[in-house]
Amino acid sequence: MLGARRIAEQARQAGIEGSPSTREIFDSARAGDERALAVVDATARRIAHVAASVALVIEPELFVLGGAFGASADLLLGRIRRHLARDAAPLPIRIVASGVPGDPVLRGASWLARHRARERAFAAAVGGRPHETAAGGPYDTATGGPNDTDLTGAGKGDIT
């Protein structure tokens, strides 16, 4: 429904030749290419449709655009909001661009993997066992455990 393949399909439908990347299409739109702008608008319409569909079911407070979509917020946010106002007006939907550079999902996963590897190495060195992912453990995302920290290593309530 969304993503590079769908954007490439929309580009072909708009008459854009070759196999430009999403970034190249969005750069062409920034330069004023009408066909690329049509692709950007179609992408914004799809994002708005997905956000409205999700909002009907779970009522999130906020949608965050990440990755290529977040990096293209200058092109997308206004269009998404326009489509939402027209097609999903009664729904209180907030959409913003992520402030995390690069791929935040990959960054979070690599942080967690590094943290777990360090914990296992330490446990092996001292002859203990690493913390389990049990209720109240360091990876308990439901209740927060005694070792509940953010990516800076600060615990909840710590002043950083």
Side-chain angles (χ1 to χ4, degrees), residues 7-18 20 24-43 79:
I7 292 171
E9 181 182 314
Q10 291 171 332
R12 282 190 297 280
Q13 292 171 354
I16 297 174
E17 296 178 11
E24 291 169 332
I25 293 167
F26 283 36
D27 286 346
S28 293
R30 283 185 187 90
D33 182 308
E34 291 297 323
R35 296 172 301 173
L37 284 165
V39 172
V40 169
D41 192 63
T43 301
R79 288 173 171 84

Side-chain angles (χ1 to χ4, degrees), residues 2-88:
L2 292 169
R5 274 190 239 140
R6 180 64 181 139
I7 292 171
E9 181 182 314
Q10 291 171 332
R12 282 190 297 280
Q13 292 171 354
I16 297 174
E17 296 178 11
S19 300
S21 68
T22 300
R23 179 177 292 193
E24 291 169 332
I25 293 167
F26 283 36
D27 286 346
S28 293
R30 283 185 187 90
D33 182 308
E34 291 297 323
R35 296 172 301 173
L37 284 165
V39 172
V40 169
D41 192 63
T43 301
R45 186 174 52 251
R46 284 191 168 285
I47 293 170
H49 176 80
V50 169
S53 297
V54 170
L56 284 170
V57 178
I58 62 172
E59 300 179 18
E61 290 184 31
L62 179 68
F63 288 89
V64 179
L65 295 180
F69 294 139
S72 297
D74 60 314
L75 291 170
L76 289 170
L77 280 178
R79 288 173 171 84
I80 293 168
R81 289 175 180 145
R82 192 168 48 251
H83 286 293
L84 285 171
R86 188 184 68 221
D87 301 332

Side-chain angles (χ1 to χ4, degrees), residues 58-128:
I58 62 172
E59 300 179 18
E61 290 184 31
L62 179 68
F63 288 89
V64 179
L65 295 180
F69 294 139
S72 297
D74 60 314
L75 291 170
L76 289 170
L77 280 178
R79 288 173 171 84
I80 293 168
R81 289 175 180 145
R82 192 168 48 251
H83 286 293
L84 285 171
R86 188 184 68 221
D87 301 332
L91 297 173
I93 299 172
R94 274 186 53 215
I95 298 185
V96 299
S98 172
V100 178
D103 186 342
V105 174
L106 180 60
R107 291 178 67 175
S110 65
W111 176 87
L112 184 58
R114 187 173 57 247
H115 183 75
R116 285 184 176 173
R118 184 177 24 227
E119 185 177 85
R120 287 174 192 251
F122 180 75
V126 298

